[in-house]
Amino acid sequence: ITHARFHPTLVLPGTELEKHWKLGEYSPLSLEEAVMIGAEIIRIGKSYAIRFLRFGLHPSESLLAESHVLAGPFHPAFGELCHNRYYRNLIETDLRDRSSGSYAVICSDKEISRVLGNSRANDLFFQQKYPRFRVVFKRSPAIKQGILIQEVN
Protein backbone atom coordinates (compact mmCIF):
# COMPACT_ATOMS: atom_id res chain seq x y z
CA ILE A 1 0.00 0.00 0.00
CA THR A 2 1.42 3.38 -0.97
CA HIS A 3 -1.68 5.59 -0.69
CA ALA A 4 -4.68 5.55 1.61
CA ARG A 5 -7.79 7.48 2.64
CA PHE A 6 -9.49 7.59 6.04
CA HIS A 7 -13.19 8.29 6.16
CA PRO A 8 -14.92 7.79 9.51
CA THR A 9 -18.47 6.53 9.17
CA LEU A 10 -21.17 9.18 8.99
CA VAL A 11 -24.91 8.60 9.28
CA LEU A 12 -26.61 10.05 6.21
CA PRO A 13 -30.36 10.35 5.59
CA GLY A 14 -32.09 7.59 3.70
CA THR A 15 -29.43 4.95 4.40
CA GLU A 16 -29.66 1.59 6.09
CA LEU A 17 -27.27 2.92 8.72
CA GLU A 18 -29.77 5.68 9.57
CA LYS A 19 -32.31 3.01 10.50
CA HIS A 20 -29.83 1.22 12.79
CA TRP A 21 -28.77 4.52 14.36
CA LYS A 22 -32.40 5.51 15.07
CA LEU A 23 -33.03 2.10 16.66
CA GLY A 24 -29.97 2.55 18.88
CA GLU A 25 -28.17 -0.34 17.18
CA TYR A 26 -25.36 1.87 15.90
CA SER A 27 -23.40 4.54 17.74
CA PRO A 28 -21.04 6.66 15.66
CA LEU A 29 -17.67 7.87 16.85
CA SER A 30 -17.48 11.31 18.40
CA LEU A 31 -15.33 13.86 16.60
CA GLU A 32 -12.72 13.57 19.38
CA GLU A 33 -12.57 9.76 19.02
CA ALA A 34 -12.23 9.99 15.24
CA VAL A 35 -9.46 12.60 15.51
CA MET A 36 -7.55 10.40 17.99
CA ILE A 37 -7.87 7.41 15.62
CA GLY A 38 -6.87 9.57 12.65
CA ALA A 39 -3.72 10.77 14.44
CA GLU A 40 -2.78 7.16 15.22
CA ILE A 41 -3.39 6.18 11.58
CA ILE A 42 -1.02 8.97 10.49
CA ARG A 43 1.63 7.74 12.94
CA ILE A 44 1.39 4.16 11.70
CA GLY A 45 1.18 5.24 8.06
CA LYS A 46 4.34 7.33 8.32
CA SER A 47 6.27 4.31 9.58
CA TYR A 48 5.28 2.49 6.36
CA ALA A 49 5.73 5.53 4.06
CA ILE A 50 2.00 5.59 3.25
CA ARG A 51 0.80 8.82 1.69
CA PHE A 52 -2.68 9.86 2.77
CA LEU A 53 -4.83 11.34 0.03
CA ARG A 54 -7.75 12.42 2.18
CA PHE A 55 -9.11 12.36 5.71
CA GLY A 56 -12.88 12.64 5.93
CA LEU A 57 -15.38 13.44 3.22
CA HIS A 58 -14.96 16.48 1.01
CA PRO A 59 -17.07 19.25 2.55
CA SER A 60 -19.41 19.85 -0.39
CA GLU A 61 -22.31 22.29 -0.03
CA SER A 62 -24.81 19.44 0.28
CA LEU A 63 -22.73 17.74 2.98
CA LEU A 64 -22.39 21.02 4.87
CA ALA A 65 -26.17 21.44 4.98
CA GLU A 66 -27.32 20.75 8.56
CA SER A 67 -29.75 18.03 7.61
CA HIS A 68 -27.36 16.01 5.48
CA VAL A 69 -25.14 14.50 8.20
CA LEU A 70 -27.36 13.08 10.91
CA ALA A 71 -24.60 11.76 13.16
CA GLY A 72 -20.93 11.01 13.18
CA PRO A 73 -17.60 12.82 13.23
CA PHE A 74 -17.99 15.29 10.37
CA HIS A 75 -15.82 18.40 10.32
CA PRO A 76 -14.90 20.39 7.20
CA ALA A 77 -11.23 20.41 8.30
CA PHE A 78 -11.14 16.85 9.65
CA GLY A 79 -7.78 16.03 8.04
CA GLU A 80 -6.16 19.10 9.59
CA LEU A 81 -7.54 18.17 13.02
CA CYS A 82 -5.99 14.68 12.67
CA HIS A 83 -2.61 16.11 11.64
CA ASN A 84 -2.78 18.66 14.48
CA ARG A 85 -3.35 15.84 16.97
CA TYR A 86 -0.58 13.71 15.42
CA TYR A 87 1.94 16.50 16.06
CA ARG A 88 0.56 17.21 19.52
CA ASN A 89 1.02 13.54 20.41
CA LEU A 90 4.61 13.55 19.09
CA ILE A 91 5.52 16.64 21.08
CA GLU A 92 3.77 15.42 24.24
CA THR A 93 5.51 12.04 24.08
CA ASP A 94 8.89 13.77 23.82
CA LEU A 95 8.27 16.34 26.56
CA ARG A 96 6.66 13.93 29.01
CA ASP A 97 10.06 12.51 30.04
CA ARG A 98 11.89 15.84 30.21
CA SER A 99 12.40 18.11 33.16
CA SER A 100 10.97 21.59 33.28
CA GLY A 101 12.50 24.18 31.01
CA SER A 102 12.22 25.93 27.70
CA TYR A 103 11.97 24.01 24.46
CA ALA A 104 11.74 24.95 20.81
CA VAL A 105 9.62 22.81 18.52
CA ILE A 106 11.11 23.34 15.08
CA CYS A 107 9.45 22.33 11.83
CA SER A 108 9.27 23.26 8.16
CA ASP A 109 7.37 26.29 6.87
CA LYS A 110 4.97 23.88 5.20
CA GLU A 111 4.05 22.12 8.48
CA ILE A 112 3.96 25.04 10.94
CA SER A 113 0.16 25.41 10.89
CA ARG A 114 -0.31 21.67 11.52
CA VAL A 115 2.25 21.67 14.33
CA LEU A 116 0.71 24.73 16.00
CA GLY A 117 -2.79 23.31 15.59
CA ASN A 118 -6.07 24.83 14.49
CA SER A 119 -6.30 28.31 16.11
CA ARG A 120 -2.98 27.54 17.88
CA ALA A 121 -4.69 24.71 19.78
CA ASN A 122 -1.44 22.79 20.33
CA ASP A 123 0.34 25.89 21.61
CA LEU A 124 -2.51 26.51 24.08
CA PHE A 125 -2.62 22.81 25.05
CA PHE A 126 1.02 22.83 26.16
CA GLN A 127 0.66 26.14 28.01
CA GLN A 128 -2.27 24.77 29.99
CA LYS A 129 -1.34 21.11 30.50
CA TYR A 130 2.42 21.55 30.99
CA PRO A 131 2.99 24.90 32.73
CA ARG A 132 6.44 23.70 33.83
CA PHE A 133 7.52 23.98 30.18
CA ARG A 134 7.92 27.00 28.01
CA VAL A 135 7.33 25.73 24.48
CA VAL A 136 7.95 27.93 21.47
CA PHE A 137 7.20 26.95 17.90
CA LYS A 138 9.67 27.89 15.17
CA ARG A 139 10.10 27.37 11.45
CA SER A 140 13.34 26.35 9.81
CA PRO A 141 14.16 25.82 6.14
CA ALA A 142 16.62 23.15 7.31
CA ILE A 143 13.74 20.93 8.46
CA LYS A 144 12.13 19.23 5.47
CA GLN A 145 9.66 17.00 7.34
CA GLY A 146 8.77 16.09 10.90
CA ILE A 147 9.77 18.09 13.95
CA LEU A 148 12.86 18.70 16.02
CA ILE A 149 12.60 19.51 19.72
CA GLN A 150 15.53 21.33 21.32
CA GLU A 151 16.12 22.70 24.77
CA VAL A 152 16.72 26.44 24.73
CA ASN A 153 18.26 28.68 27.36
Side-chain angles (χ1 to χ4, degrees):
I1 297 174
T2 58
H3 296 79
R5 298 171 188 258
F6 173 58
H7 301 285
T9 303
L10 302 175
V11 179
L12 302 177
T15 61
E16 194 67 29
L17 190 56
E18 177 189 13
K19 295 174 189 171
H20 292 286
W21 173 67
K22 284 183 174 178
L23 291 170
E25 298 169 349
Y26 173 74
S27 295
L29 294 173
S30 68
L31 180 61
E32 176 66 17
E33 291 168 323
V35 167
M36 288 174 22
I37 291 167
E40 184 64 8
I41 287 172
I42 293 169
R43 186 191 67 76
I44 293 167
K46 284 186 180 283
S47 68
Y48 290 99
I50 295 172
R51 183 170 167 248
F52 291 98
L53 303 174
R54 175 167 295 284
F55 277 79
L57 294 178
H58 178 72
S60 65
E61 285 185 35
S62 63
L63 196 59
L64 290 171
E66 282 185 37
S67 61
H68 198 73
V69 176
L70 301 175
F74 176 76
H75 190 283
F78 180 70
E80 284 302 305
L81 295 178
C82 293
H83 281 91
N84 296 167
R85 182 61 57 87
Y86 164 75
Y87 281 114
R88 183 173 101 182
N89 292 348
L90 275 181
I91 297 164
E92 186 174 28
T93 298
D94 185 278
L95 291 179
R96 197 177 294 137
D97 297 329
R98 295 183 186 233
S99 60
S100 61
S102 297
Y103 297 91
V105 176
I106 308 165
C107 64
S108 70
D109 284 336
K110 180 180 162 189
E111 291 294 303
I112 190 69
S113 65
R114 287 181 167 178
V115 173
L116 278 169
N118 189 11
S119 300
R120 298 188 69 93
N122 289 345
D123 188 16
L124 296 170
F125 173 82
F126 289 106
Q127 289 176 31
Q128 293 170 359
K129 186 166 181 184
Y130 295 99
R132 71 180 191 268
F133 296 121
R134 181 176 174 269
V135 179
V136 294
F137 294 84
K138 296 183 177 185
R139 309 165 201 230
S140 171
I143 306 289
K144 299 300 178 202
Q145 64 181 32
I147 58 173
L148 173 65
I149 300 175
Q150 294 180 327
E151 189 168 9
V152 293
N153 296 337

